[in-house]
Amino acid sequence: MDQIGTSNAFFSIWFLLFLALSVTPLVFSRTLSADPDPCDAMKLRDFQKLRSDQITVLINGYSESRIPLLQSIVAAYSGSSIVSSILVLWGNPTTPAQLLDHLYHNLTRYSLGTASISLIQQPSSSLNARFLPRPSVDTRAVLICDDDVEVDKKSLEFAFSVWKSNPDRLVGMFVRSHGFDLQGKDWIYTVHPDKYSIVLTKFMMMKQDYLFEYSCNGGVEMEEMRGVVDTMRNCEDILMNFVAADKLRAGPVMVGAERVRDWGDARNDEEEQEQVENGVREAGLSSRRVEHRKRRGKCIREFHRVMGKMPLMYSYGKVVNSVGEQGLCRKSGKLVFCDRD
Ligand SMILES: *[C@@H]1O[C@H](CO)[C@@H](O)[C@H](O)[C@H]1NC(C)=O
């Protein structure tokens, strides 16, 4: 009961401290939201009727030292015509307001296109807050991303076209796996050379409905799993994969990118070298990376325990934007052009 009360209180606070998007550039304003409960506000929303010709980008920012990177990512995404708006979710409650004012000025000054940009200070550092549904988001698709990866415009637009033909799936570029360790007889977090079941929030595109599922549905089970995310200070991305796979009974879709600038971040750092083509040598893992994997494995086991089942499902292959703008899809184990049956 305690947890439920706390969480509702948090929801209210998030909304009270919601820094509204301002259409006037160079003005950074904080306003109080009229609606105290985002779940209530979203209940009546018909997600299917939302516009699906554009996306909303939700970028998590936390580290002040990474602000230049954040600016670069926002500028890059703002230059794409498929981006309706960009919400920078600032998760560090100790950042001085003045610094955020400057950041906001810079973000709007250097934006390239017509996308509206807003900066929202999250009142707590809870990682669950990044998945909070927001009434201002008027597109069906949202792109969830971290402040460590810049994806080129063409790949962003390609990913969106893949999402449009797979609107129920999570679409991503960076993938991981769950696995079952036969010796330890338990679930683990790992990387497989040829299959995956988890997309990371370095780039995660999905329908907005899943934000609602994550934050508002699922009763005490979801409440408890969001609690795991808070306790572990990690794994909100894994939980979102659980939520989507459980709803859909299908794994995510991996898309290829042409140019990715990956600066790595504290959380994903230790994983960078795991992106190998030919499998992973456990013996070669640094102790930090082993620790990171263990924590992520623990999350998987906790989510599995609470749900009483393992909803994650494997997907194989990746969709690539090959020569001639032709997408390749895997069908019955073979790579074929997506528009061919
Ligand atoms: C804003 O931009 C100026 C000029 O590029 C830079 O010196 C400053 O550090 C930036 N500040 C923030 C908070 O982004």
Side-chain angles (χ1 to χ4, degrees), residues 67-68 71 98-107 109-110:
I67 281 179
Q71 270 172 215
Q98 208 187 7
L99 185 61
L100 290 179
D101 284 350
H102 285 151
L103 171 59
Y104 181 71
H105 283 204
N106 284 1
L107 289 178
R109 186 146 47 120
Y110 298 123

Side-chain angles (χ1 to χ4, degrees), residues 14-24 27-34 86-88 104 108 116-122 134 136:
W14 283 329
F15 251 68
L16 287 173
L17 293 185
F18 176 85
L19 299 181
L21 50 140
S22 165
V23 282
T24 321
V27 175
F28 180 57
S29 60
R30 297 148 196 264
T31 58
L32 299 179
S33 166
I86 301 174
L87 277 61
V88 176
Y104 181 71
T108 50
S116 77
I117 296 172
S118 51
L119 175 61
I120 295 165
Q121 171 136 44
Q122 311 272 36
R134 296 169 193 279
S136 69

